[in-house]
Amino acid sequence: MKIVYFGTDVFLSCFLYFAEHHQILGLYTYHNDEDYFTEYSIVREAKRMGIPVHYEDMTKEETCRYFLEQGCQLFFVAEYNRILPVPEGLDSFRGINLHSSLLPVGRSYYPIEAAMERDIKRSGVTMHKISPSLDAGDILDSYPLEISEEMDSVDVYLGCGLGAESMARRMMEDFEASWNKARTQKTDKKYPYWKRPSEEKLTITHEITTVQALDCFRRYNQLTQVILENRAYYIRAMDTGTAFLKEDVILIKGDQILYRVTDGHLRLILHTERGIGDET
C-alpha cells in the first residue's frame, strides 16, 4: 500500500513497520522543544531510506495530488500537531489517526499529560478514521494501558507506542475488513475536549516541596517549566536533594542549576540553547 505518514518519534515503530512492508511516499513532521519525543529519529530513518521529509502544512490541493496522481491509498497520522484537510468529494481518500487515549474519553492535543493530571489509572491509544471533527472519527481499534504510580508520562507514551504498532500490523493484515468494521464514536458533551494544562500547574516554584516537584515532572515531563529572571525554561531532567540553599538559585554550569524548594532543593537540567548566565 502507498502511504503518506505524518508524525514524530512517539510512534516510530509504526513508521518503521510501514517502511518495511509498504511504500511511504513522504513523511510530514514538525519540531517542538516542549515535547520529550521530537522528530530526530524518524527524520534520520526517513532520509536513510530516501523518503522525502516535509515540515510544511498539508493542503487540500496536495492531498488531492497524492490520491489522484501518485496513487496514495492512505494518510497515516501518528502524533502530528496539525489538522489535516479532508477534501469533499475525494472518494479515494482514506486517513487513519493514532490518538493517545481511549476515545471518546481524552480528546486533546495533550491526552497523556491531561489524563495523568486527572489521576486516570487506565488509558491507552485509539486508532480511528480521520474526520473533519478533531478526534471524532469512527474507531478502528484500541489498546488499553494501565497507568501505575511508578510510571511517568514518558512510560505511558512508550506503552502507547507498543500498542500502536500491534494495532497497525493487525489493521494491515486485512485492511478492507478492518476499515469496514469501524464503530461510530459517541460525541456528546459528556466527553469534553481536554485543554493544555495551565501554566500554574506546569510551573515549578520555590513554595513547593520536592515530592510535589517530582510529581509535577512525572506528569508533564518537558512541559514542566521554571521561571528565571522573567524567562521560562523547560526542564529536561530533575533530581532532588535535602540540603537547604542560601540562595534561591545557584548556577552550576551551562544549563544545570540548583533550585531552592521548601524542604531542600532541586537539581535541574534546563532545555535551552545557551547557558543561563549568557548574554548572547
Side-chain angles (χ1 to χ4, degrees), residues 206 228 245-250 257-261 265:
H206 296 295
L228 301 175
L245 306 180
K246 291 184 178 180
E247 303 175 40
D248 285 344
V249 178
I250 298 176
I257 67 168
L258 301 179
Y259 187 87
R260 179 186 60 79
V261 290
H265 67 271

Side-chain angles (χ1 to χ4, degrees), residues 175-189:
F175 182 86
E176 292 299 328
S178 299
W179 183 265
N180 292 328
K181 289 179 181 177
R183 64 185 188 276
T184 303
Q185 278 197 63
K186 296 179 180 179
T187 57
D188 55 40
K189 293 183 180 179

Side-chain angles (χ1 to χ4, degrees), residues 11-24:
F11 296 113
L12 177 61
S13 60
C14 289
F15 176 81
L16 295 176
Y17 159 72
F18 283 119
E20 180 179 359
H21 298 282
H22 299 273
Q23 181 182 355
I24 299 180

Side-chain angles (χ1 to χ4, degrees), residues 127-177:
M127 178 183 288
H128 67 89
K129 293 181 180 180
I130 293 175
S131 68
S133 299
L134 191 64
D135 301 331
D138 294 350
I139 293 176
L140 296 160
D141 203 351
S142 61
Y143 176 88
L145 180 69
E146 303 297 325
I147 304 176
S148 68
E149 292 295 329
E150 293 75 27
M151 297 170 69
D152 65 6
S153 57
V154 175
D155 289 320
V156 180
Y157 274 111
L158 291 171
C160 287
L162 292 174
E165 182 187 355
S166 66
M167 287 194 296
R169 289 178 178 272
R170 188 160 56 241
M171 176 80 194
M172 302 308 290
E173 287 176 358
D174 190 341
F175 182 86
E176 292 299 328

